[in-house]
Structure formats: C-alpha cells, structure tokens
Amino acid sequence: MAETQGPRLRTIIARNHRWDLIIGTIGLLATTVGVLVLMLLFVDLVIDGWQRLTPDFFLNFPSRRPEEAGILSAWVGSALVMVVTAFTAVPLGVAAAIYLEEYAPKNWITELIEINVTNLAAVPSIIYGLLALGLFVYILGLGHSILTAGLTLGLMILPIVIVATREALRAIPVAIREAAYALGATRWQVVSDHLVPYASGGIYTGVIIGLSRAIGETAPVITIGALTFIAFLPPIPFTGDPPAGPFDWLFSPFTVLPIQMFNWLSRPQTAFHVNAAATGIVIIVATLLMNGIAIWLRSRIRSKLKW
Amino acid sequence: MTTTDTGGSGSLSSPYLDRIRTMRHVRNGKERIIEAILFVAAFCAVAVTVAIVAILLYEASTFFEHVSLVEFLTGTEWTPLFERARYGMLPLLVGTVVTSAIAFLVAGPLGFLIAMYLSEFAPPKLAEVLKPFLELLAGVPTIVYGYFALLFVTPLLQKLIPGLPGFNMLSAGLVMGLMIVPYVASIAEDAMRAVPMALREGSYAMGATRFQTAMWVVLPASFSGVMAAFVLGISRAVGETMIVAIAAGQQPNFTFDPREPAATITAYIVQVAMGDLPHGSIGYQSIFAVGLVLVVITLFFNLIGQMLRRRIREVY
C-alpha cells in the first residue's frame, strides 16, 4: 500500500508547495505594485515639471502667460491655512482625546462621542466643504477666507489627531498614573505633568500626518469657493496704508497649492499642464516629507520607549 | 496624625485643616472646570456631525420645495444649471457607481492579496520595509492622482482602446482603485493579524502549507474583517472627489459604459462650486441635495463596515 500511496502523496505535496510558491510570488508582486505606482507617479511628475522648478516659480504670482506664472500666492496661502488648521485641530483634538481616554465615564454620551469620531473619520472630505460653505461662509459670514479654509481643514483632520493622541495615551502604562495618584496628584496634574509629555511623540506624529492630509486636500477648499485668480498676498500685520491689523490676514482671499494645480490642470494648454506638474512636485514632496518625518518619529518612539 | 497624641488637636489642626480644605476646594473647582472644557472639546465631534446633517437638511429642504423627490430620485436628466432645468440625479448616481465599481475591482483583489502576503507570507523584515511605502502611497494627495489619471493613464489607455475620449470613467476608476489599495490592505491585514497564532499553529501542525492555512484557516476566521475592508474601501471610492472631477469629466452622462465621460456626485459639487453661483439659488441648493445623498450612501457603507469590523473583535 505504501508503494502505491507514496508517489501520489509526494505529487500532492509537491503540488501544494507549488501553489504556495505561486501565491507567495503573486502576493509579493501585488505588494510591489504599490511601490511601483508611487515611483511611477513621482517620475511622471518630475519628467513633466522639473524644468519649471526655478526660484522664479516660487516667487512669481500666477499669470496668463504660463512661462511667467508662479506659485507665490499658493504656497504662502497653503502655509497660512496650515497655521489656522493646526491651531484648530491640535487643541481641540488633544483635549477631546484626553477626555475620552482619561476622564470619560462609561455611559451613553461617551458612546455617542466615540461613534461620532469614528464616523467623522470616514465622512468624504467634500462634505466638510459643504458644511463650511453653509456654516462658515454664509451663516457665520467668514467669507472665502483663510480662516474658513483653516477651520474646515482643522475639523477634517480632527479625527486623525484624536485617534493618534488616544493611541499614544493608551500606550502609557497604568503604573505611571497610579504612581502619580499615590503622591496625591489630581487628575489634571497627572495628565498635564505626566501623560501629555510622555505622549507628545505620538501626538506630534498624528498632527504631522493630519497636516500632511490637509495640505494636499483640494475638494473642501474648492467647495468654499476659493478657486479664484489670486495675484496678491494676504496683508502683513502693521504694514501698508492704512496699516493692516494683526489678524487681517485671516480674512483675506487666498489660494492654496492643490487649487493652483487644479486650476492649471483644467486648462487646455499643455504649457499650463507643465506648471501643474511642477506644483504637483512641490505638493508631493511636502506631503511625503511630512509623512516620512511622522513614520520616522513613530519608529524612533517605538524603539526608544521601553516602559 | 501627629496632632492627636499632643492632646491639643483642636487648636493646632483647625487653621491647617481649614487651609487644606480651602486649597482642596479650589483644586476641586479647578479640576471640574478643566474636565468641563475637555468634555466640550470631545463633544465637538458630535456637534460637527449634527452641523453637517443640519446644514445639508436645511439647504436640501428648500431645494425639495421646488423639485419633487420622485423626479430627483428617478429622473435620468441632470441639468440644474440649464435654462430648461431637469433635476433627475440618476446620471450622477450611475457615474458614481461605475467609477466606484472599477475602483473596487482594482482595490479589492489587490488589497486582499497584499494583506494576505504581508500577514501570512512575507518575512517580518520585508514586511516592515514594504509597509511604510504603502503608507506613503496612501498619503499622496488626490489631486496628484488626478494629474496621473488625466495625463498618464488616459494617454496609455488611449493606445490600448482606440477612440477613448480624453475624459473617461475607466481611467478615473482605475487610478482611484490604486489610491484605495493601501487603505483596503491595511484594514484587511489588521483583521488577519488579529487571528490567534494557535489557529495557524494547529493548521501547520496538520501539515498544511502557508497558502492552505491562509485560505482555509485565517481567511474564514477574519472573514468579516476582510469584508469590512472592502466595504470601507467602496465608501472611500464613493466619496472621492478630485480624481473623478479631473479625469472623468464633469458632464452628467447617463451611461454604464466606463469608456465614456461622466460626472459623479462629487464632481458635480466641484463643478458648481467652481462657477460662482449666487447663494440661495436652486443650483446652489442642488449641491446640498446631492451632498445629502452622498452622506447617506457613505454613512450606510461606513456603518456596515464598522459593524463587520467590530464582529471580528468579539469572537476571540
């Protein structure tokens, strides 16, 4: 019996191993598709747009003549919007996360908040644009301003900051909290003196990832009506005549990098497409850099922190 | 405690105790204020949801005073900005369904294979190198993917399919699929990793290969998590805006042919927002009406996805 079964068994085993190899190879190929697409994207952009990446490109305003057009108003706008976004999302997100992780009692209100945070993370970004258009632009009368855009993107990345902060807080051992409580510290003293400092690495990571999402986000900013020709910079505080107030820039019309790119991309002339590619390089370098920093920061925290 | 054995506890302790009491009182007050502030911040999440729903319902309700719900949901012509306005949103819905379906056909199998490879096949060292790349891919802004779809993938497809127009749903859907791959892969991989090692060890001990273990042990155990990845991926595709607005064109077109240009719900919102429509006009309100539909669809998928995701956690 063994003589007849042996070879059959061996062919079955060989076949199974072959399948294993085939599926493993397909899996590896599928995974490298991700890497390949990323490289293809980048190479395509660089081939199309690198010749426009001169200092003038960063110092010129958009123009009707593609070879003179630049992204000065766009990158300044992006930077200022990011400032507002960070000032919205960081305090709100970190505070919300601290509440949910350290304070919240187990009841239906907490449950409701948790469900909402999860769902907000999955709401399409353009819906935040509609919210901003109805609420910030018209009901609150903030207009098509830097403030509106910053608040919108801030709300959009709020779930990212909350989730990252909660994960960082959860990673801190209970013993740290117990030690502080044993010395008579109040809950807020425990949070502000121990938990937040220890969690700061994880919080930074979450904030950077959130901002990298916000800087490339186009749809909500278009929806609030920012797609206009902007050939000026927001007022610098205390300059000009009459002198601008310290917060006048918040209410200034603006444009951001992805919108400038979309603007150029929607034109039929290929010369503008080259500008779009160059802007794309700037955006992708900014986001990849931010993501890279976040990934590096996270791995460093993981390897350095041993509780 | 030292005060009790001196006998003069009353005279010694009362000023101290009073001070401590007032200090504690102030401290507790401060603690309560801080807790209240933190609670308000957390409750913002609820407020944002309520605000979204309220704004959409408010603007859409004025829209539906002019347009019948039946026409909106069953009409096959969407021309709210024309002189002879028609408000049937089926063309937008079909555009959304077609592009999302193409995206899913790319992201579903690829995402599943990647998840299975990373969780069951890849040496841990290699997985650690590959995963950050997937994360970076997920971080690329959608406007860049739109550029890629319009000026790289479409010309490529035009060589394969003669007569393909410059704007088409196929290219937008394919690129959207690539964009969602990392998202699907990471959720599915989480689900597979959550399967206890003992199950795999049992399978290996019976002489199963990796593929057999992955297919007949890990996949059934993580099935609802993998389904959650698919459902949440579809939800992402439905809500995605820039890729379709750039590469699929912005003209509503009632067709299931992926080679044709068509507008999705999101692309229509972008198109209207770009033109300066007066606040309160019916065109302005129409984007809130279709936005409401978009929210309902994505919410439906998200709730199913969350439910499926929670199920895997309960089993073990």
Side-chain angles (χ1 to χ4, degrees), chain A residues 69-160:
Chain A
I71 54 168
L72 178 64
S73 47
W75 72 256
V76 172
S78 271
L80 293 177
V81 168
M82 282 312 108
V83 170
V84 181
T85 304
F87 271 96
T88 312
V90 175
L92 262 181
V94 172
I98 290 171
Y99 179 80
L100 289 174
E101 209 51 43
E102 304 295 327
Y103 284 79
K106 264 208 177 319
N107 60 19
W108 65 272
I109 298 180
T110 310
E111 185 80 1
L112 182 72
I113 295 173
E114 300 254 9
I115 291 171
N116 273 293
V117 172
T118 321
N119 270 327
L120 281 181
V123 167
S125 61
I126 193 155
I127 297 298
Y128 284 94
L130 288 179
L131 166 73
L133 183 65
L135 184 67
F136 297 141
V137 176
Y138 290 114
I139 294 179
L140 298 179
L142 300 177
H144 313 295
S145 61
I146 290 177
L147 182 61
T148 303
L151 287 174
T152 311
L153 296 177
L155 291 183
M156 194 190 79
I157 66 166
L158 198 57
I160 300 175

XYZ file of all heavy atoms in Angstrom, chain A residues 69-160:
675
model
N 4.190 82.339 -14.995
C 3.345 82.083 -13.835
C 4.130 81.375 -12.729
O 5.057 80.613 -13.000
C 2.148 81.228 -14.248
N 3.751 81.660 -11.486
C 4.420 81.032 -10.354
C 3.436 80.705 -9.255
O 2.231 80.899 -9.397
N 3.961 80.201 -8.149
C 3.081 79.717 -7.079
C 3.254 80.490 -5.779
O 2.984 79.978 -4.707
C 3.309 78.211 -6.823
C 4.785 77.929 -6.541
C 2.818 77.379 -7.975
C 5.033 76.541 -6.005
N 3.707 81.753 -5.888
C 3.946 82.508 -4.655
C 2.690 82.599 -3.786
O 2.700 82.215 -2.613
C 4.447 83.923 -4.997
C 4.685 84.827 -3.788
C 5.794 84.277 -2.908
C 5.037 86.249 -4.212
N 1.586 83.068 -4.386
C 0.375 83.221 -3.570
C -0.122 81.862 -3.079
O -0.714 81.775 -2.011
C -0.716 83.938 -4.354
O -0.854 83.377 -5.637
N 0.145 80.800 -3.860
C -0.351 79.471 -3.478
C 0.410 78.910 -2.283
O -0.205 78.420 -1.335
C -0.253 78.521 -4.666
N 1.733 78.998 -2.307
C 2.430 78.374 -1.166
C 2.306 79.214 0.095
O 2.229 78.670 1.205
C 3.877 77.977 -1.500
C 4.916 79.055 -1.658
C 5.431 79.509 -2.832
C 5.614 79.777 -0.621
N 6.380 80.476 -2.608
C 6.515 80.662 -1.247
C 5.559 79.773 0.779
C 7.349 81.535 -0.554
C 6.385 80.637 1.480
C 7.265 81.494 0.817
N 2.245 80.553 -0.072
C 2.003 81.380 1.114
C 0.618 81.061 1.677
O 0.454 80.878 2.891
C 2.127 82.881 0.770
C 1.671 83.738 1.946
C 3.559 83.226 0.396
N -0.375 80.951 0.790
C -1.729 80.609 1.216
C -1.766 79.270 1.936
O -2.354 79.137 3.017
N -1.102 78.264 1.349
C -1.068 76.941 1.984
C -0.472 77.012 3.383
O -0.997 76.437 4.330
C -0.250 75.966 1.131
O -1.059 75.322 0.193
N 0.643 77.742 3.503
C 1.321 77.836 4.798
C 0.407 78.490 5.841
O 0.282 77.997 6.973
C 2.620 78.622 4.647
N -0.247 79.588 5.446
C -1.101 80.296 6.404
C -2.319 79.449 6.784
O -2.714 79.405 7.951
C -1.545 81.645 5.820
C -0.415 82.668 5.637
C -0.940 83.934 4.978
C 0.233 83.011 6.980
N -2.904 78.766 5.791
C -4.058 77.905 6.085
C -3.634 76.791 7.053
O -4.368 76.452 7.982
C -4.652 77.319 4.780
C -5.645 76.217 5.091
C -5.316 78.412 3.970
N -2.417 76.260 6.848
C -1.938 75.199 7.739
C -1.795 75.699 9.179
O -2.049 74.961 10.134
C -0.583 74.661 7.271
C -0.640 73.705 6.116
S -1.862 72.404 6.322
C -3.060 72.942 5.166
N -1.379 76.970 9.325
C -1.263 77.537 10.682
C -2.632 77.518 11.360
O -2.779 77.046 12.496
C -0.710 78.980 10.615
C -0.809 79.655 11.979
C 0.729 78.973 10.125
N -3.653 77.999 10.640
C -5.006 78.015 11.222
C -5.483 76.591 11.491
O -6.066 76.299 12.543
C -5.984 78.753 10.281
C -7.380 78.783 10.889
C -5.507 80.156 9.999
N -5.206 75.686 10.538
C -5.618 74.291 10.707
C -5.018 73.696 11.974
O -5.717 73.065 12.773
C -5.174 73.461 9.486
O -5.702 74.056 8.309
C -5.663 72.039 9.592
N -3.715 73.924 12.148
C -3.044 73.364 13.327
C -3.628 73.956 14.602
O -3.877 73.239 15.576
C -1.545 73.635 13.240
N -3.876 75.284 14.593
C -4.413 75.916 15.798
C -5.841 75.472 16.091
O -6.322 75.605 17.211
C -4.350 77.447 15.671
C -3.055 78.011 16.175
C -2.005 78.276 15.308
C -2.870 78.236 17.532
C -0.805 78.768 15.772
C -1.675 78.724 18.011
C -0.637 78.990 17.134
N -6.547 74.973 15.083
C -7.895 74.445 15.318
C -7.824 72.992 15.800
O -8.427 72.631 16.805
C -8.722 74.468 14.009
O -8.573 75.738 13.410
C -10.175 74.192 14.286
N -7.069 72.192 15.050
C -7.144 70.748 15.262
C -6.370 70.292 16.494
O -6.798 69.375 17.184
C -6.641 70.006 14.017
N -5.226 70.926 16.777
C -4.389 70.411 17.861
C -5.042 70.596 19.237
O -5.216 69.612 19.965
C -2.974 71.017 17.808
C -2.156 70.579 19.004
C -2.278 70.607 16.517
N -5.430 71.817 19.627
C -6.042 71.933 20.964
C -7.321 71.121 21.093
O -7.495 70.364 22.059
C -6.355 73.432 21.084
C -5.639 74.105 19.981
C -5.386 73.103 18.917
N -8.198 71.232 20.074
C -9.468 70.502 20.131
C -9.237 68.995 20.157
O -9.816 68.281 20.984
C -10.307 70.842 18.893
C -11.383 71.901 19.035
C -12.122 72.080 17.722
C -12.361 71.526 20.129
N -8.383 68.530 19.257
C -8.171 67.089 19.133
C -7.519 66.501 20.369
O -7.939 65.454 20.878
N -6.479 67.172 20.869
C -5.774 66.646 22.034
C -6.693 66.665 23.258
O -6.762 65.689 24.017
C -4.473 67.447 22.291
C -3.832 67.031 23.596
C -3.499 67.248 21.135
N -7.443 67.763 23.423
C -8.358 67.847 24.567
C -9.425 66.765 24.489
O -9.733 66.101 25.495
C -9.003 69.234 24.608
N -9.980 66.574 23.281
C -11.014 65.542 23.121
C -10.447 64.164 23.440
O -11.087 63.356 24.116
C -11.564 65.585 21.697
N -9.230 63.911 22.961
C -8.621 62.602 23.203
C -8.362 62.387 24.684
O -8.601 61.309 25.223
C -7.319 62.484 22.409
N -7.870 63.431 25.376
C -7.616 63.308 26.816
C -8.915 62.998 27.545
O -8.979 62.123 28.410
C -6.976 64.603 27.368
C -5.552 64.743 26.845
C -6.989 64.608 28.892
C -4.924 66.075 27.167
N -9.982 63.706 27.141
C -11.257 63.446 27.799
C -11.682 61.992 27.598
O -12.021 61.290 28.546
C -12.339 64.393 27.282
C -13.677 64.116 27.929
C -13.947 64.608 29.202
C -14.627 63.321 27.306
C -15.140 64.321 29.831
C -15.825 63.026 27.927
C -16.077 63.534 29.197
O -17.245 63.237 29.829
N -11.656 61.553 26.330
C -12.153 60.214 26.031
C -11.300 59.135 26.694
O -11.802 58.092 27.115
C -12.181 59.986 24.518
C -13.256 60.765 23.781
C -13.106 60.600 22.281
C -14.639 60.311 24.223
N -10.001 59.385 26.803
C -9.112 58.341 27.302
C -8.995 58.359 28.829
O -8.898 57.320 29.458
C -7.736 58.525 26.655
C -6.930 57.280 26.479
C -7.681 56.156 25.781
O -8.384 56.392 24.779
O -7.561 55.033 26.265
N -8.995 59.560 29.443
C -8.685 59.659 30.874
C -9.882 60.027 31.754
O -9.895 59.730 32.933
C -7.574 60.692 31.087
C -6.308 60.417 30.297
C -5.625 59.128 30.744
O -5.694 58.805 31.931
O -5.054 58.442 29.873
N -10.846 60.733 31.191
C -11.921 61.253 32.024
C -13.254 60.532 31.817
O -13.991 60.317 32.771
C -12.154 62.743 31.738
C -11.119 63.663 32.347
C -9.884 63.835 31.753
C -11.387 64.371 33.516
C -8.940 64.676 32.299
C -10.454 65.222 34.069
C -9.227 65.365 33.461
O -8.302 66.206 34.003
N -13.541 60.192 30.547
C -14.911 59.828 30.186
C -15.444 58.666 31.003
O -14.808 57.616 31.095
C -14.971 59.486 28.704
N -16.612 58.840 31.627
C -17.266 57.716 32.291
C -17.880 56.807 31.226
O -18.065 57.214 30.082
C -18.367 58.400 33.108
C -18.669 59.648 32.371
C -17.400 60.068 31.703
N -18.149 55.571 31.603
C -18.759 54.663 30.618
C -20.261 54.911 30.609
O -20.990 54.357 31.415
C -18.478 53.205 31.032
C -17.274 52.623 30.333
C -17.437 51.116 30.211
C -16.332 50.416 29.478
N -15.807 51.035 28.318
N -20.708 55.775 29.718
C -22.147 55.965 29.603
C -22.514 56.245 28.155
O -21.662 56.223 27.271
C -22.630 57.092 30.527
C -21.960 58.411 30.199
O -21.419 58.595 29.113
N -21.993 59.323 31.131
N -23.775 56.546 27.919
C -24.215 56.656 26.522
C -23.652 57.896 25.847
O -23.452 57.900 24.628
C -25.740 56.625 26.444
C -26.420 57.810 27.097
C -26.779 57.917 28.400
C -26.774 59.033 26.475
N -27.336 59.141 28.635
C -27.362 59.850 27.471
C -26.675 59.535 25.169
C -27.828 61.131 27.201
C -27.136 60.817 24.912
C -27.708 61.594 25.916
N -23.347 58.951 26.619
C -22.786 60.149 25.979
C -21.405 59.838 25.418
O -21.074 60.181 24.283
C -22.703 61.313 26.986
C -24.108 61.674 27.478
C -22.054 62.531 26.348
C -24.139 62.805 28.477
N -20.591 59.154 26.223
C -19.272 58.756 25.756
C -19.386 57.879 24.517
O -18.679 58.075 23.528
C -18.526 57.996 26.869
O -18.598 58.774 28.058
C -17.092 57.760 26.492
N -20.300 56.930 24.596
C -20.534 56.035 23.450
C -20.884 56.843 22.204
O -20.347 56.608 21.116
C -21.676 55.076 23.815
C -21.956 54.014 22.796
C -20.981 52.841 22.895
O -20.100 52.847 23.782
O -21.096 51.946 22.064
N -21.749 57.829 22.383
C -22.177 58.691 21.265
C -20.987 59.430 20.673
O -20.815 59.498 19.452
C -23.219 59.691 21.782
C -23.827 60.641 20.752
C -24.778 59.888 19.843
C -24.562 61.781 21.450
N -20.133 59.972 21.547
C -18.950 60.703 21.066
C -18.040 59.766 20.278
O -17.576 60.093 19.182
C -18.191 61.344 22.241
C -19.062 62.419 22.914
C -16.888 61.967 21.763
C -18.471 62.981 24.180
N -17.831 58.563 20.831
C -16.948 57.592 20.169
C -17.453 57.268 18.766
O -16.688 57.261 17.797
C -16.904 56.288 20.977
C -16.400 56.463 22.389
C -14.997 55.942 22.550
O -14.386 55.611 21.516
O -14.518 55.882 23.689
N -18.761 56.985 18.657
C -19.344 56.646 17.362
C -19.148 57.799 16.383
O -18.796 57.605 15.217
C -20.844 56.318 17.511
C -21.020 55.007 18.269
C -21.524 56.235 16.152
C -22.446 54.720 18.658
N -19.327 59.021 16.881
C -19.205 60.179 16.013
C -17.782 60.377 15.516
O -17.566 60.747 14.367
C -19.697 61.432 16.723
C -21.178 61.607 16.541
O -21.633 61.860 15.432
N -21.939 61.426 17.590
N -16.806 60.169 16.403
C -15.411 60.314 15.979
C -15.102 59.313 14.873
O -14.519 59.658 13.837
C -14.447 60.136 17.171
C -13.007 60.102 16.686
C -14.630 61.252 18.171
N -15.525 58.055 15.061
C -15.282 57.021 14.045
C -15.931 57.398 12.723
O -15.342 57.253 11.662
C -15.853 55.668 14.509
O -15.621 55.528 15.897
C -15.217 54.528 13.770
N -17.162 57.872 12.794
C -17.863 58.198 11.560
C -17.292 59.422 10.867
O -17.205 59.460 9.647
C -19.355 58.412 11.831
C -20.108 57.114 11.703
O -19.740 56.274 10.894
N -21.131 56.954 12.501
N -16.895 60.431 11.655
C -16.344 61.648 11.052
C -15.089 61.334 10.256
O -14.825 61.944 9.227
C -16.039 62.691 12.128
C -17.240 63.463 12.644
C -16.792 64.480 13.675
C -17.965 64.170 11.512
N -14.317 60.345 10.741
C -13.094 59.979 10.034
C -13.412 59.466 8.638
O -12.574 59.535 7.745
C -12.322 58.930 10.818
N -14.619 58.949 8.445
C -14.957 58.347 7.163
C -15.864 59.237 6.309
O -16.218 58.862 5.208
C -15.631 56.998 7.389
N -16.223 60.401 6.805
C -17.045 61.312 6.004
C -16.191 61.860 4.852
O -15.074 62.293 5.076
C -17.574 62.476 6.881
C -18.160 63.578 6.023
C -18.612 61.981 7.863
N -16.700 61.814 3.610
C -15.908 62.328 2.487
C -15.533 63.793 2.704
O -16.330 64.565 3.241
C -16.870 62.197 1.300
C -17.887 61.213 1.695
C -17.997 61.287 3.183
N -14.312 64.138 2.267
C -13.814 65.480 2.569
C -14.686 66.564 1.954
O -14.827 67.652 2.506
C -12.370 65.615 2.095
O -12.308 65.424 0.706
N -15.295 66.274 0.803
C -16.084 67.311 0.143
C -17.289 67.704 0.991
O -17.789 68.830 0.914
C -16.517 66.863 -1.269
C -17.042 68.061 -2.052
C -17.537 65.748 -1.219
C -16.946 67.931 -3.526
N -17.756 66.777 1.838
C -18.886 67.092 2.713
C -18.480 68.160 3.737
O -19.262 69.039 4.084
C -19.396 65.809 3.416
C -19.928 64.816 2.375
C -20.473 66.129 4.422
C -21.112 65.322 1.572
N -17.214 68.092 4.200
C -16.733 69.153 5.079
C -16.758 70.492 4.352
O -17.011 71.535 4.951
C -15.300 68.860 5.546
C -15.228 67.802 6.612
C -15.012 66.477 6.287
C -15.383 68.143 7.945
C -14.945 65.499 7.250
C -15.321 67.179 8.923
C -15.104 65.853 8.568
O -15.049 64.896 9.531
N -16.513 70.439 3.037
C -16.592 71.653 2.231
C -18.000 72.215 2.223
O -18.206 73.426 2.352
N -18.991 71.326 2.090
C -20.384 71.784 2.094
C -20.760 72.362 3.452
O -21.440 73.387 3.541
C -21.329 70.625 1.741
C -21.307 70.155 0.284
C -22.261 68.991 0.090
C -21.666 71.286 -0.655
N -20.298 71.706 4.521
C -20.538 72.226 5.871
C -19.974 73.639 5.994
O -20.636 74.558 6.470
C -19.872 71.310 6.907
C -19.755 71.884 8.318
C -21.110 71.919 8.998
C -18.769 71.082 9.159
N -18.727 73.798 5.516
C -18.069 75.100 5.630
C -18.787 76.142 4.798
O -18.951 77.286 5.222
C -16.614 74.984 5.187
N -19.232 75.740 3.586
C -19.925 76.685 2.714
C -21.202 77.184 3.380
O -21.480 78.379 3.410
C -20.261 76.001 1.380
C -20.933 76.860 0.322
C -20.010 77.968 -0.132
C -21.364 76.013 -0.867
N -21.977 76.266 3.952
C -23.224 76.666 4.583
C -22.993 77.391 5.901
O -23.596 78.428 6.157
N -22.084 76.854 6.729
C -21.930 77.371 8.092
C -20.958 78.550 8.168
O -21.335 79.660 8.545
C -21.464 76.244 9.012
C -21.347 76.594 10.490
C -22.719 76.877 11.081
C -20.679 75.462 11.266
N -19.693 78.311 7.782
C -18.678 79.354 7.963
C -18.858 80.509 6.974
O -18.795 81.676 7.346
C -17.272 78.770 7.801
C -16.943 77.735 8.830
C -16.217 76.605 8.489
C -17.349 77.894 10.142
C -15.907 75.650 9.437
C -17.039 76.941 11.095
C -16.323 75.815 10.742
N -19.079 80.159 5.688
C -19.109 81.215 4.668
C -20.369 82.056 4.791
O -20.305 83.283 4.806
C -18.993 80.613 3.251
C -19.119 81.717 2.200
C -17.672 79.891 3.089
N -21.544 81.402 4.900
C -22.774 82.192 4.855
C -23.388 82.463 6.222
O -23.698 83.597 6.537
C -23.781 81.534 3.905
C -23.323 81.663 2.477
C -22.969 80.556 1.726
C -23.192 82.930 1.895
C -22.515 80.699 0.423
C -22.736 83.086 0.600
C -22.407 81.972 -0.137
O -21.952 82.108 -1.404
N -23.557 81.448 7.072
C -24.229 81.706 8.358
C -23.341 82.556 9.270
O -23.773 83.550 9.842
C -24.632 80.379 9.046
C -25.705 79.679 8.211
C -25.153 80.653 10.461
C -26.177 78.363 8.758
N -22.047 82.181 9.394
C -21.162 82.959 10.266
C -20.515 84.132 9.535
O -19.871 84.974 10.153
C -20.072 82.055 10.861
C -20.570 80.919 11.760
C -19.399 80.098 12.257
C -21.360 81.473 12.941
N -20.666 84.168 8.209
C -20.185 85.311 7.439
C -18.678 85.468 7.410
O -18.154 86.578 7.350
N -17.942 84.367 7.441
C -16.480 84.473 7.421
C -15.938 84.617 6.005
O -14.755 84.887 5.808
C -15.846 83.240 8.095
C -16.221 83.023 9.559
C -15.589 81.753 10.086
C -15.793 84.210 10.401
N -16.789 84.389 5.006
C -16.369 84.594 3.625
C -15.425 83.527 3.118
O -15.150 82.539 3.781
N -14.917 83.756 1.893
C -13.982 82.805 1.280
C -12.584 83.115 1.785
O -11.718 83.545 1.033
C -14.026 82.911 -0.241
C -15.415 82.942 -0.790
N -16.278 81.876 -0.671
C -16.107 83.899 -1.442
C -17.435 82.192 -1.244
N -17.357 83.409 -1.705
N -12.352 82.928 3.079
C -11.121 83.444 3.673
C -10.207 82.327 4.151
O -10.590 81.158 4.204
C -11.475 84.331 4.869
O -12.158 83.560 5.825
N -8.993 82.722 4.502
C -8.023 81.799 5.076
C -8.594 81.150 6.333
O -8.424 79.959 6.574
C -6.709 82.552 5.387
C -6.013 82.928 4.071
C -5.783 81.715 6.259
C -4.750 83.724 4.256
N -9.302 81.963 7.130
C -9.884 81.452 8.379
C -10.868 80.320 8.088
O -10.813 79.256 8.724
C -10.589 82.600 9.118
C -11.202 82.256 10.461
C -10.147 81.787 11.441
C -11.944 83.456 11.042
N -11.763 80.534 7.112
C -12.734 79.498 6.748
C -12.024 78.208 6.337
O -12.364 77.117 6.805
C -13.620 79.981 5.585
O -14.248 81.179 5.960
C -14.660 78.951 5.230
N -11.038 78.352 5.457
C -10.333 77.164 4.962
C -9.627 76.435 6.105
O -9.685 75.210 6.212
C -9.328 77.557 3.891
N -8.955 77.215 6.977
C -8.214 76.609 8.080
C -9.138 75.875 9.041
O -8.842 74.754 9.466
N -10.282 76.502 9.361
C -11.242 75.857 10.259
C -11.780 74.573 9.637
O -11.887 73.541 10.297
C -12.410 76.811 10.549
C -12.132 77.998 11.474
C -13.340 78.919 11.537
C -11.773 77.508 12.869
N -12.106 74.646 8.341
C -12.654 73.477 7.647
C -11.676 72.311 7.694
O -12.038 71.192 8.075
C -12.939 73.829 6.174
O -13.660 75.050 6.131
C -13.725 72.726 5.507
N -10.434 72.586 7.287
C -9.445 71.511 7.265
C -9.132 71.050 8.688
O -8.858 69.864 8.919
C -8.174 71.972 6.543
C -8.370 72.295 5.053
C -7.092 72.819 4.441
C -8.842 71.059 4.297
N -9.197 71.980 9.642
C -8.966 71.617 11.035
C -10.000 70.608 11.523
O -9.662 69.604 12.159
N -11.271 70.877 11.207
C -12.323 69.926 11.591
C -12.124 68.604 10.875
O -12.361 67.537 11.435
C -13.702 70.498 11.245
C -14.172 71.686 12.060
C -15.577 72.078 11.642
C -14.152 71.365 13.548
N -11.654 68.684 9.610
C -11.498 67.463 8.830
C -10.444 66.535 9.426
O -10.622 65.319 9.446
C -11.129 67.829 7.396
C -11.266 66.694 6.428
S -10.535 67.139 4.860
C -8.814 66.896 5.223
N -9.336 67.111 9.919
C -8.271 66.251 10.442
C -8.429 65.979 11.938
O -7.622 65.277 12.539
C -6.857 66.816 10.160
C -6.618 68.123 10.918
C -6.623 66.995 8.680
C -5.155 68.530 10.934
N -9.490 66.530 12.526
C -9.733 66.317 13.954
C -9.725 64.830 14.339
O -9.029 64.448 15.292
C -11.059 66.975 14.336
C -11.324 67.255 15.806
C -10.225 68.132 16.380
C -12.672 67.948 15.975
N -10.451 63.971 13.615
C -10.431 62.543 13.989
C -9.032 61.937 13.964
O -8.698 61.104 14.807
C -11.323 61.886 12.926
C -12.189 62.964 12.402
C -11.377 64.222 12.491
N -8.194 62.372 13.000
C -6.834 61.829 12.907
C -6.052 62.183 14.170
O -5.385 61.328 14.769
C -6.108 62.383 11.663
C -6.871 62.006 10.396
C -4.672 61.889 11.605
C -6.294 62.598 9.124
